[in-house]
Amino acid sequence: MAQTCIIVTGGAGFIGANFVQQWISTEPAAVINLDKLTYAGNPASLRAVEANPNYAFTHADIGDFAAVSRLLAQRKPVAVVNFAAESHVDRSIHGPGEFVQTNLVGTFQLLEAVRGYWSALPADVGRRFRFLHVSTDEVYGSLQPGDAPFTEQTPYAPNSPYSASKAGSDHLVRAYHHTYGLPTITTNCSNNYGPYQFPEKLIPLIILNALAGKPLPIYGDGLNVRDWLYVGDHCTAVRLALSKGRPGETYNIGGNNERANIDVVRTICRILDELRPADSRKPYESLITFVADRPGHDRRYAIDATKSSDELGWKPAETFESGIRKTVRWYLDNSDWVQGVVSGEYRKWMAKNYDTREAT
Ligand code: NAD
Ligand code: DAU
């Protein structure tokens, strides 16, 4: 009999790689990672599990219906967890096409392949099958200071090409449950941070720029607020949603850690001053530079995770203070991984996004 397994898509990305590692160390079933290996997919993030008999890799696009259907038929997974996406808001502003292609069309092709596989399963096996779609709080739009946090009932109001493409994929997932009965679960989480995050995103970008003595770019007035979620806590929530979540439902996942960007950056600077003081002995905060804002920049995100807490029994284990310290240490201790990432394509992105952003 084939070994029980799940398929994860986008498992070579930031959250996917953390999820695969956590899954292997906590769950008995095998995990097959299907990833296209875009600029954001990094096999080096999976070194710790690549030789594990419970791990396998398939190089494919979620939009390749034939390849995904073949893998489903061969491996007969009990669940598919969809992390694969184009995930960076600034890139979606420079080039929205890839976002529509992967996040919307790709998710559609993946759903079609999964529907074909699932509808041929024996009824009892099909009832236990799950398609878990990992989405974002950005689909709910932007909050003002004082507004109540997003709940699962908040109407969708995506503002960037990225969040619009994710919202579209969420609607497709909902429709596949409603129309075909596919046992889907959608999770909408807030900003993740932690090990293996590509340094185009705020927290790793600030850590690496500071260590290199480069400017620390803050968009606009630095008062935009995000709700920071340690990636390990997010992975735990996804595993609980798989085992305890009700088909057709959506679950919000947040860290309960609302912070203004400027405060996040100052906190990182203070931790670096303590752990790795600059040769110049100047505080890292002296590198902070306010730059032109992101077009359409959402002001504030905040998550009400009461449903995940009540139904899944989930609570984040990390505070922002404990998680950010762990994260800074991880980047200091893993310079090989960092060096592997900070190469050709990354340099091109830094020039494209920052060279034209005047200091304000
Ligand atoms: P990431 O950009 O680090 O990784 C994305 C992964 O998907 C990469 O390994 C990439 O190679 C793969 N991929 C891209 N296009 C693909 C395709 N067409 N077929 C197969 N693989 C493909 O992303 P992340 O930060 O790990 O985010 C994972 C998921 O979580 C995304 O769906 C994202 O929208 C969502 N999310 C992320 C955050 C966050 O803070 N990072 C917050 C909320 C939701
Ligand atoms: O809320 C969940 C979302 O969080 C995910 O769906 C996205 O995939 C993920 O990328 C993230 O989106 P953000 O746009 O919030 O993350 P980012 O790290 O790009 O930016 C965080 C905040 O920091 C945001 O307000 C913009 C600001 N910022 C970002 C960069 C890269 C800066 O001020 N300077 C920068 O150089």
Side-chain angles (χ1 to χ4, degrees):
M1 210 175 72
Q3 190 192 4
T4 303
C5 74
I6 66 165
I7 291 177
V8 160
T9 73
F14 161 49
I15 304 175
N18 278 281
F19 181 82
V20 166
Q21 294 201 31
Q22 190 185 94
W23 181 274
I24 299 256
S25 63
T26 52
E27 304 280 345
V31 55
I32 321 296
N33 172 20
L34 179 149
D35 198 298
K36 184 180 172 184
L37 296 182
T38 67
Y39 78 92
N42 186 354
S45 305
L46 292 159
R47 290 275 183 268
V49 297
E50 66 189 4
N52 192 300
N54 270 3
Y55 174 73
F57 177 72
T58 295
H59 189 197
D61 188 325
I62 55 166
D64 184 342
F65 174 84
V68 176
S69 299
R70 252 193 327 271
L71 187 69
L72 288 163
Q74 276 164 7
R75 296 292 191 160
K76 302 188 173 35
V78 295
V80 172
V81 183
N82 183 30
F83 289 100
E86 288 294 334
S87 69
H88 191 35
V89 173
D90 291 319
R91 285 185 193 257
S92 82
I93 295 167
H94 285 281
E98 261 321 289
F99 287 72
V100 173
Q101 201 49 46
T102 283
N103 299 358
L104 192 56
V105 181
T107 303
F108 161 68
Q109 294 291 1
L110 177 67
L111 280 165
E112 275 296 272
V114 169
R115 179 166 76 92
Y117 163 73
W118 166 78
S119 56
L121 291 173
D124 57 327
V125 182
R127 259 195 308 278
R128 290 194 299 272
F129 179 82
R130 293 288 180 270
F131 179 87
L132 192 146
H133 179 62
V134 177
S135 190
T136 170
D137 58 1
E138 297 199 16
V139 297
Y140 299 122
S142 182
L143 296 169
Q144 290 306 314
D147 287 350
F150 302 130
T151 71
E152 290 78 0
Q153 273 71 50
T154 303
Y156 273 32
N159 288 320
S160 72
Y162 162 69
S163 53
S165 65
K166 290 294 289 186
S169 67
D170 294 8
H171 291 322
L172 283 171
V173 171
R174 176 191 156 87
Y176 272 63
H177 174 73
H178 189 81
T179 304
Y180 305 113
L182 187 69
T184 64
I185 288 168
T186 299
T187 54
N188 295 83
C189 71
S190 60
N191 285 60
N192 283 220
Y193 69 103
Y196 302 107
Q197 187 166 30
F198 192 76
E200 64 189 353
K201 308 280 166 60
L202 181 70
I203 286 181
L205 177 98
I206 294 299
I207 298 171
L208 299 192
N209 275 20
L211 291 173
K214 292 183 181 164
L216 308 181
I218 312 244
Y219 297 166
D221 61 6
L223 297 180
N224 300 67
V225 170
R226 299 293 183 262
D227 172 4
W228 293 97
L229 171 63
Y230 190 71
V231 65
D233 283 332
H234 179 205
C235 295
T236 303
V238 171
R239 287 191 300 112
L240 284 167
L242 259 186
S243 61
K244 295 186 172 172
R246 288 180 293 133
E249 293 292 320
T250 68
Y251 295 91
N252 281 355
I253 305 170
N256 222 358
N257 284 310
E258 281 187 63
R259 295 285 185 287
N261 294 336
I262 185 68
D263 295 332
V264 169
V265 172
R266 288 200 175 116
T267 301
I268 295 169
C269 288
R270 280 196 289 272
I271 296 173
L272 282 173
D273 285 338
E274 177 195 328
L275 300 180
R276 183 75 57 87
D279 290 343
S280 66
R281 300 285 141 179
K282 274 196 189 159
Y284 285 105
E285 274 195 39
S286 63
L287 296 170
I288 288 176
T289 309
F290 289 87
V291 298
D293 208 353
R294 170 187 282 174
H297 197 176
D298 284 339
R299 194 61 173 167
R300 172 179 166 234
Y301 306 138
I303 282 267
D304 178 343
T306 306
K307 183 176 173 187
S308 292
S309 161
D310 289 353
E311 288 194 20
L312 309 177
W314 176 80
K315 281 234 175 337
E318 300 290 345
T319 62
F320 186 67
E321 286 62 36
S322 64
I324 194 67
R325 190 164 271 276
K326 269 191 188 175
T327 303
V328 172
R329 269 191 201 284
W330 188 88
Y331 280 90
L332 290 175
D333 292 346
N334 287 274
S335 50
D336 285 357
W337 184 90
V338 169
Q339 283 319 312
V341 160
V342 187
S343 61
E345 201 286 334
Y346 179 67
R347 289 211 190 96
K348 274 190 248 154
W349 165 250
M350 295 304 278
K352 187 173 183 179
N353 193 44
Y354 294 98
D355 284 1
T356 52
R357 236 177 240 278
E358 304 266 300
T360 55

